[in-house]
Amino acid sequence: MPWGLTFLPDGSALVSERDSALIKRVPAGGGPARTVGRVPGVVPKAEGGLMGIVASPGFADDRTVYASVTGADKNSIVALHIAADYRSLRQDRVLLDGIRTAQRHHGGRLAIGPDGNLWIGTGDAFEPANAADDTSLNGKVLRTRTDGTVPDGSAGNSPIYSSGHRNVQGIAFGPDGTAYASELGHRTWDEVNVLRAGADYGWPETEGIEGSTGTAPIWTVHPDDASPSGMAYTAGSLWIGALGGQRLWQLPVDGGRATGEAVAHHSGEYGRIRTVEVAPDGALWLITSNTDGSTWGGVDPRPGDDRILHIDVSR
């Protein structure tokens, strides 16, 4: 059940497995994955376990990777130290905890922003009221420094950057620094939002464009065609993995605006797409999610599942 993927300075990639709590290393350019180690404290759940991972900007020196972990009583963001030979790992510290856990809606995506901070997508823990609760870290996009402290300028010294989200599983940044998030809706609209500090995005009163509360999304799509998860920016577009929709969406954007109609690629070809990242060569690496037992857009695993796909989008 692969979930998260992050590239390292040597061009290799680390992949997290949700249920096994293992992190594996894939050589630069692809090839057989080898186990680095198991992340401690992970308690797999219906949609939870070891989820997003992202390498420290200073990985070459500090050997640090950040991970989103669901535990028995709460979810947390932890810092892991990866051994120089990639044959072991250890947990160094907990950056952030107190995120409510549940069977579903964990969020789990991590990204390092152009500001050098750690951006964290959380779900509402299947309790919609959490998203509108300023005292809850659930149903939010959070932002911390890589040491776990809160960046200057954050309201009330809180890691909460934005609120009113149902389940954020994709975070990406445009070349101008614009922050985008993909969000799984309920039964009406999935959405892509431009993130702004202190903004509310409407859930649970508003879902996509169904309702009048919160900041409006720049793009909506029916959950049958999306259930968006991982997202990356390259070649003038956001590239959004669809779980239930079993496709890769391309949404042209510029400066926080959608500049064209969304285009679907590889519809039904590879099944559910969980993660999208830009590789050092400019191609996309996609992670499929056909072995996670989901009943939402679920497919029977096919030979080779789950897999990492290399997609050239430059042509």
Side-chain angles (χ1 to χ4, degrees), residues 160-205:
I160 296 174
Y161 187 82
S162 60
S163 61
H165 300 286
R166 186 170 182 263
N167 196 17
V168 174
Q169 288 194 4
I171 299 174
F173 301 91
D176 59 354
T178 299
Y180 301 90
S182 61
E183 181 172 338
L184 290 93
H186 186 215
R187 292 285 185 266
T188 308
W189 296 112
D190 295 331
E191 56 194 78
V192 169
N193 291 296
V194 172
L195 299 176
R196 305 195 188 283
D200 170 71
Y201 290 85
W203 179 255
E205 296 299 322

Side-chain angles (χ1 to χ4, degrees), residues 64-261:
T64 298
V65 169
Y66 307 101
S68 177
V69 169
T70 69
D73 302 315
K74 58 188 176 183
N75 296 347
S76 58
I77 310 301
V78 301
L80 308 169
H81 184 271
I82 307 297
D85 62 2
Y86 296 100
R87 293 184 179 180
S88 64
L89 60 80
R90 70 173 188 268
Q91 180 175 307
D92 266 356
R93 62 193 185 279
V94 176
L95 271 70
L96 183 67
D97 61 11
I99 304 168
R100 295 182 188 178
T101 194
Q103 287 295 310
R104 299 175 61 187
H105 294 192
H106 300 278
R109 191 66 61 185
L110 305 182
I112 298 291
D115 57 4
N117 292 317
L118 181 63
W119 294 61
I120 303 157
T122 69
D124 65 8
F126 218 53
E127 292 288 345
N130 286 335
D133 183 351
D134 291 340
T135 68
S136 171
L137 298 180
N138 294 80
K140 310 293 192 298
V141 172
L142 311 176
R143 187 183 63 153
T144 72
R145 296 190 183 99
T146 53
D147 62 1
T149 59
V150 176
D152 295 336
S154 297
N157 197 35
S158 168
I160 296 174
Y161 187 82
S162 60
S163 61
H165 300 286
R166 186 170 182 263
N167 196 17
V168 174
Q169 288 194 4
I171 299 174
F173 301 91
D176 59 354
T178 299
Y180 301 90
S182 61
E183 181 172 338
L184 290 93
H186 186 215
R187 292 285 185 266
T188 308
W189 296 112
D190 295 331
E191 56 194 78
V192 169
N193 291 296
V194 172
L195 299 176
R196 305 195 188 283
D200 170 71
Y201 290 85
W203 179 255
E205 296 299 322
T206 295
E207 180 185 350
I209 53 175
E210 191 72 20
S212 58
T213 61
T215 300
I218 64 168
W219 182 63
T220 55
V221 59
H222 192 275
D224 286 348
D225 297 323
S227 298
S229 189
M231 178 171 65
Y233 176 93
T234 191
S237 294
L238 295 172
W239 302 83
I240 308 156
L243 294 166
Q246 299 179 32
R247 67 199 71 180
L248 176 67
W249 282 105
Q250 177 188 2
L251 178 66
V253 294
D254 182 46
R257 298 177 299 108
T259 57
E261 294 295 320

Side-chain angles (χ1 to χ4, degrees), residues 4-6 8 12-16 23-25 36 53 65 82:
L5 184 151
T6 187
L8 303 179
S12 66
L14 299 180
V15 178
S16 62
I23 289 181
K24 295 184 176 180
R25 181 176 179 237
V36 175
I53 57 173
V65 169
I82 307 297

Side-chain angles (χ1 to χ4, degrees), residues 7 10-13 26-31 279-281 285 310:
F7 286 97
D10 65 0
S12 66
V26 179
D281 65 359
W285 280 27
H310 178 279

